[in-house]
Every structure is written in C-alpha cells, then in structure tokens.
Amino acid sequence: MKHILVLFCSVMFAISCKSAEFQKNPPFEVIEASYNNWAGGQPGVSGINVRIHYRTAKQVTFDSIYFQSKKGIIDSYNEEGKTFIIGRINNPRTKIVAPDGVTKQENPEATIPFKLADDEAVLVYTYNTTTYFYKISKIEKTDDKFFQ
C-alpha cells in the first residue's frame, strides 16, 4: 500500500510539473548564472553547484532547482552586497553493499519533469503562496573544483 501511495504522489507531481507553464516575468531578475562540477575528498562524492546572482524587491522563496537531469536543493547568501542562490546537486553514489549483502543505489537519479538542454535550469519558487517555475538558459560553465 505504501508503494502505491508513493507511486501515485510521484505521478501527480510529474503531471502537475509537465502541465505547469514557465513564468516569463518572475518577481526577480537573474543577473548571471553559472555552474561547476565538484568532487569531494572521498571516492564517489561529487556534484554540481549552480550559482545564480539575482535581484528582487519582492518576497520570493526559492524551493529547488532542476539541472542536467537532476534535482537539487537551494541555499541563499549575500556576498559583497549582492544576493545569490546556489543550487546544490549531489551526484548519486555508485553501488553500496548493505549489511544484508544486497547491492543498492544510495541516491537513485529521479526522472525530472522537464526537457532541458545541458545549459538550462528550472528554478522552483514560491511567491504569494503560489509555486511557479522559471527556466534559465545559457548558464555558463566555470572551472571544476576538487576538494581533499
């Protein structure tokens, strides 16, 4: 029963996203957008950061981001008087062997409800208690980062 409920909710979310229209005039202005791949100090730990410099005078809450067939979480910060959000997308780890000996994927890739080019992202945001979708194109790739 639990699996049926999860499947039903996933299908309903996908249908609502596919039928959702992208906003042409959001309550914010994207100044610039870039992304970079990163790799951590442990094998299999990597991801993508999408950095977006934006400006707004409205009360907007950024919920999540879709980029390169993955969904990520949003963090916001200020730097030198400028406002940024960063979409953090962790790559799924490869196979993990559970204590019971069964091999599993730690974070299986979800199917995203949008068709996007490699340099496009969709921001999911809330404004006046309504959720909207905004597509950003021509996101510039910057240098990869490696952490130890």
Side-chain angles (χ1 to χ4, degrees), residues 3 5 11 13 22 27 33 40 42 44 50-51 61 70 85 94 120 127 137:
H3 296 291
L5 180 60
V11 169
F13 177 75
F22 295 125
Q42 298 179 9
V50 182
R51 185 175 184 238
T61 303
K70 298 173 182 80
I85 56 172
T94 52
E120 293 180 327
Y127 178 64
S137 299

Side-chain angles (χ1 to χ4, degrees), residues 68-80:
Q68 295 187 352
S69 301
K70 298 173 182 80
K71 181 179 180 182
I73 60 171
I74 298 285
D75 290 324
S76 60
Y77 66 96
N78 292 314
E79 183 178 285
E80 298 177 5

Side-chain angles (χ1 to χ4, degrees), residues 53-55 77-84:
H53 174 203
Y54 76 98
R55 181 177 21 225
Y77 66 96
N78 292 314
E79 183 178 285
E80 298 177 5
K82 298 177 182 176
T83 308
F84 294 89

Side-chain angles (χ1 to χ4, degrees), residues 70-145:
K70 298 173 182 80
K71 181 179 180 182
I73 60 171
I74 298 285
D75 290 324
S76 60
Y77 66 96
N78 292 314
E79 183 178 285
E80 298 177 5
K82 298 177 182 176
T83 308
F84 294 89
I85 56 172
I86 188 161
R88 300 187 188 280
I89 302 165
N90 293 324
N91 288 332
R93 288 193 175 188
T94 52
K95 297 175 185 172
I96 305 258
V97 179
D100 61 4
V102 177
T103 302
K104 302 176 182 178
Q105 286 289 101
E106 185 179 54
N107 292 324
E109 258 185 66
T111 311
I112 69 165
F114 308 103
K115 294 255 187 217
L116 299 172
D118 282 347
D119 67 344
E120 293 180 327
V122 172
L123 273 178
V124 182
Y125 67 94
T126 304
Y127 178 64
N128 289 337
T129 69
T130 303
T131 300
Y132 297 97
F133 303 91
Y134 179 66
K135 183 159 65 169
I136 302 171
S137 299
K138 299 180 182 175
I139 300 173
E140 181 182 325
K141 184 171 183 342
T142 59
D143 293 336
D144 295 341
K145 294 191 180 187

